[in-house]
Amino acid sequence: MHTKARKLKLRTITEMTNRKKKSIVEEVEKVFNIYRNRGFEVVELIGDLEFACIEDDILPVKLATVGQDEHMGDIKWSIRELKEDIRCTVQSLPYTRYPRIMTSALGGNAVKNKNHLPKEDSVSANMSAATMIFGTSRPDYKKMTVEFGQYVQVFQENQRTNTNDTRTIGDIALSMGPNHNGEYKFMNLNTGKVLLRRK
């Protein structure tokens, strides 16, 4: 599910496991809470007919749906921009197949990058959506030491260090910069699971 705020220009993306009403309501409420936590009031949700089933569940937020053959211009262009960013990243990598973890991270990185850029038609032409909503500062390119999809050896945090156990693990980088805890996100090549590491 992809959302974009009309005035703040914040974009969100969520990997949905199903299209059931309960799941849609949960994800929409998570998006609403992002804005509410920063003191913004959500008054209207515009979506396609798939959102019609949640109209009563999101009150007092008003739901406006577009017809089956109509498109939301804002979202249509936002999806197109994200697909372009993802396509550019994929074309720069040597892989022919992408596991679900990497595909999900590709979308998340594209949205994160868009949110860090100020928009002229936003509420503020100088502040990015990420700064206004999440309070994050501008990206520090000096801390972006890895690229998405890069093979790296990640430091293994062993309990005992005086053994012959491996000190590093082969991983694929899923994030270009560290999170607020200084950790990078990686995909472990042995398990296929996400790892958070500083080194």
Side-chain angles (χ1 to χ4, degrees):
M1 182 177 78
H2 176 50
T3 67
K4 182 180 178 185
R6 279 215 161 137
K7 294 183 180 177
L8 296 171
K9 305 301 180 189
L10 181 78
R11 302 173 200 224
T12 67
I13 191 167
T14 307
E15 184 178 357
M16 301 281 292
T17 55
N18 62 61
R19 294 173 176 239
K20 294 179 181 175
K21 177 181 174 180
K22 182 182 176 188
S23 299
I24 295 172
V25 170
E26 286 175 2
E27 294 304 329
V28 167
E29 283 297 328
K30 285 179 187 176
V31 173
F32 288 171
N33 286 334
I34 290 171
Y35 298 104
R36 289 176 185 143
N37 288 339
R38 291 296 277 190
F40 293 100
E41 182 183 353
V42 179
V43 293
E44 184 179 39
L45 172 68
I46 304 170
D48 58 22
L49 290 174
E50 196 166 358
F51 289 89
C53 65
I54 68 167
E55 185 171 10
D56 295 334
D57 298 281
I58 61 170
L59 289 173
V61 176
K62 181 182 154 194
L63 176 68
T65 55
V66 294
Q68 189 169 2
D69 295 328
E70 296 176 44
H71 295 285
M72 286 298 309
D74 293 353
I75 277 293
K76 180 181 177 184
W77 282 104
S78 183
I79 290 170
R80 179 180 272 184
E81 287 175 12
L82 294 177
K83 282 183 176 180
E84 292 272 330
D85 289 356
I86 291 168
R87 194 174 292 118
C88 288
T89 303
V90 166
Q91 292 303 315
S92 69
L93 296 172
Y95 310 118
T96 54
R97 295 187 182 202
Y98 292 83
R100 174 169 264 164
I101 289 174
M102 285 183 75
T103 305
S104 181
L106 273 167
N109 283 330
V111 167
K112 185 177 180 182
N113 292 339
K114 291 289 184 194
N115 284 338
H116 277 296
L117 297 173
K119 306 284 188 277
E120 288 182 10
D121 58 343
S122 176
V123 173
S124 171
N126 300 322
M127 286 175 52
S128 69
T131 301
M132 287 186 280
I133 302 298
F134 302 117
T136 58
S137 57
R138 291 184 178 180
D140 185 355
Y141 295 104
K142 292 177 184 174
K143 291 183 179 177
M144 295 184 181
T145 56
V146 295
E147 293 182 27
F148 178 88
Q150 184 178 0
Y151 174 79
V152 293
Q153 286 288 316
V154 175
F155 182 69
Q156 176 65 18
E157 298 167 354
N158 295 323
Q159 297 292 340
R160 295 175 61 200
T161 58
N162 62 348
T163 66
N164 289 328
D165 292 341
T166 182
R167 299 283 175 97
T168 61
I169 308 169
D171 290 80
I172 301 293
L174 298 178
S175 62
M176 295 180 288
N179 62 16
H180 60 282
N181 292 328
E183 297 172 321
Y184 291 81
K185 192 186 286 187
F186 302 97
M187 181 183 74
N188 186 321
L189 290 175
N190 294 331
T191 64
K193 295 186 178 178
V194 173
L195 281 179
L196 292 173
R197 292 287 190 270
R198 287 187 174 85
K199 300 179 183 178

